[in-house]
């Protein structure tokens, strides 16, 4: 609806999110609701809107839409409330931001404001870019036309020097089977028949799972951030290892991630704006 869609979460959703990004039983602030520092990993704000409806059908706005050909292209997250609530009743207000015709592909950007249903305060703002192979050629603009937040279109580029920190983390073969319980039940991440039609030998990892793991690495090394932007530059398979390289540049951290087993990029053009006075966590 125009007013938005409700989604309520509790400590159970927070713990599931954290475990689906690799939190261990010994990471008490992330897995135990009675810990005095109990908290979600900093990218939890990608969860509420995902559990709500978009106000449009992709069939109506691009050519030859096929769900098997849809990939998550980019994601921008703004965290507007600190500390991030460990439970909330939320209202999620969606909007269609931009539709771009790349000829052979369609790029669709949508935005979601997540508000606290009781106070009306903003909790999170998200912009999601999806890349739909084979759905271009519908006569749309080949270039972006929408005004977007500065952070959402920031061209984060790693500097030439060595990274200030590198974190390596092996995902589990069951990572996507767990991550989907946060609300993204796209069969691409679990059903081999479906992913095969999409062009993949096995189901692939959710982009938002890689995003969460990299966000955790940023938090570990440099502390809390108020926005994060990534481009999903290449597919990650459950079980592969992500290597995140991080560079602190003023009040930003620029980062990228590659798949160690193949050497190919997973996340590029990525960065965060740190909260003033942020300190390394974990
Ligand atoms: O980059 C390629 C790729 O494979 N990326 C990885 C995709 C991926 O694994 N995503 C995560 C998993 S899928 C997922 O999680 C789905 C989820 O369940 C549902 C999300 C739903 C969100 C809900 C929102 C409502 C690929 C295929 C994306 C592009 O590769 P190429 O076709 O080789 O593109 P290239 O030739 O390099 O560039 C062509 C033009 O496209 C732009 N572009 C490239 N990568 C992009 C991208 N735009 C957005 N996102 C990306 N990731 C390029 O800039 C180029 O544009 P231009 O022609 O203007 O220069």
């Amino acid at each position: 609806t125009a007013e938005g869609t409700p989604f309520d979460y509790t400590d159970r959703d927070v713990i599931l999110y954290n475990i689906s990004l690799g939190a261990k039983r010994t990471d008490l602030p992330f897995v135990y609701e009675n810990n005095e520092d109990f908290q979600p990993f900093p990218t939890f704000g990608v969860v509420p809107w995902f559990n709500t409806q978009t106000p449009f059908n992709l069939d109506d706005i691009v050519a030859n839409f096929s769900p098997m050909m849809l990939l998550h292209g980019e994601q921008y997250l703004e965290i507007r409330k600190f500390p991030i609530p460990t439970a909330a009743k939320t209202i999620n207000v969606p909007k269609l931001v931009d539709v771009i015709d790349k000829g052979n592909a369609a790029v669709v950007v949508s935005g979601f404001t997540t508000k606290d249903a009781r106070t009306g305060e903003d909790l999170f703002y998200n912009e999601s870019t999806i890349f739909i192979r084979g759905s271009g050629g519908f006569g749309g603009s080949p270039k972006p036309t929408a005004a977007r937040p500065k952070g959402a279109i920031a061209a984060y580029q790693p500097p030439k020097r060595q990274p200030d920190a590198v974190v390596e983390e092996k995902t589990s073969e069951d990572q996507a089977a767990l991550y989907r319980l946060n609300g993204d039940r796209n069969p691409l991440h679990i059903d081999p028949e479906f992913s095969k039609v999409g062009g993949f030998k096995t189901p692939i990892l959710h982009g938002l799972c890689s995003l969460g793991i990299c966000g955790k690495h940023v938090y570990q090394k440099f502390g809390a951030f108020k926005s994060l932007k990534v481009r999903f530059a290449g597919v990650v398979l459950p079980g592969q290892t992500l290597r995140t390289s991080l560079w602190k540049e003023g009040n930003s951290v620029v980062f990228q991630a590659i798949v160690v087993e193949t050497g190919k990029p997973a996340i590029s053009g990525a960065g965060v704006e740190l909260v003033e006075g942020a300190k390394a966590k974990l």
Side-chain angles (χ1 to χ4, degrees):
T1 66
E3 298 78 39
T5 315
F7 174 72
D8 301 343
Y9 68 87
T10 67
D11 55 7
R12 185 177 186 280
D13 302 277
V14 167
I15 294 169
L16 173 62
Y17 183 70
N18 292 344
I19 291 178
S20 76
L21 298 181
K24 299 286 180 273
R25 70 187 161 81
T26 46
D27 299 329
L28 287 181
F30 300 97
V31 296
Y32 182 35
E33 67 284 7
N34 290 331
N35 184 278
E36 60 180 17
D37 212 13
F38 178 58
Q39 60 182 292
F41 282 140
T43 51
F44 181 78
V46 301
V47 171
W49 62 271
F50 212 106
N51 286 277
T52 64
Q53 294 293 313
T54 48
F56 52 83
N57 285 323
L58 287 166
D59 262 328
D60 298 336
I61 56 178
V62 302
N64 310 313
F65 174 64
S66 158
M68 280 95 165
M69 302 306 276
L70 182 156
L71 291 169
H72 204 159
E74 295 189 333
Q75 185 69 26
Y76 172 64
L77 163 68
E78 252 174 61
I79 302 159
R80 295 185 173 171
K81 172 83 181 169
F82 292 93
I84 300 168
T86 55
K89 292 186 187 311
T90 75
I91 295 287
N92 297 270
V93 185
K95 65 178 180 209
L96 180 58
V97 174
D98 210 353
V99 182
I100 304 155
D101 189 340
K102 293 267 178 214
N104 57 352
V107 169
V108 178
V109 186
S110 32
F112 301 84
T113 307
T114 300
K115 293 171 178 291
D116 184 315
R118 273 176 306 201
T119 64
E121 263 182 306
D122 281 13
L123 299 176
F124 313 111
Y125 176 70
N126 278 271
E127 276 186 15
S128 285
T129 300
I130 50 178
F131 191 100
I132 312 162
R133 296 164 292 160
S135 278
F138 50 88
S141 164
K143 290 284 166 210
T145 56
R148 299 185 58 193
K150 199 160 51 74
I153 49 169
Y156 287 111
Q157 287 294 341
K160 292 270 183 288
R161 65 192 161 82
Q162 290 294 304
D164 300 316
V166 178
V167 184
E168 223 172 85
E169 180 160 347
K170 189 179 181 326
T171 63
S172 128
E173 302 213 334
D174 304 314
Q175 200 94 38
L178 186 58
Y179 188 85
R180 60 196 295 275
L181 299 181
N182 296 308
D184 183 349
R185 304 258 183 133
N186 186 344
L188 182 64
H189 308 297
I190 191 85
D191 180 345
E193 297 300 325
F194 188 101
S195 62
K196 201 185 292 166
V197 180
F200 305 108
K201 274 196 271 205
T202 62
I204 67 174
L205 191 62
H206 300 77
L208 290 180
C209 185
S210 304
L211 172 150
I213 291 172
C214 289
K216 182 177 73 169
H217 296 162
V218 174
Y219 191 55
Q220 233 170 325
K221 295 295 178 187
F222 299 101
F225 47 86
K226 51 191 177 187
S227 77
L228 171 144
K229 192 240 152 177
V230 306
R231 169 173 281 201
F232 302 109
V235 166
V236 180
L237 301 178
Q240 288 182 323
T241 307
L242 287 170
R243 180 189 294 147
T244 313
S245 300
L246 308 109
W247 292 262
K248 184 153 190 297
E249 291 279 282
N251 209 40
S252 301
V253 175
V254 179
F255 65 95
Q256 64 179 30
I258 62 156
V259 172
V260 172
E261 288 78 3
T262 60
K264 292 191 179 151
I267 283 180
S268 67
V272 308
E273 288 174 276
L274 294 169
V275 165
E276 284 77 27
K279 288 206 182 64
K281 289 284 151 62
L282 298 171

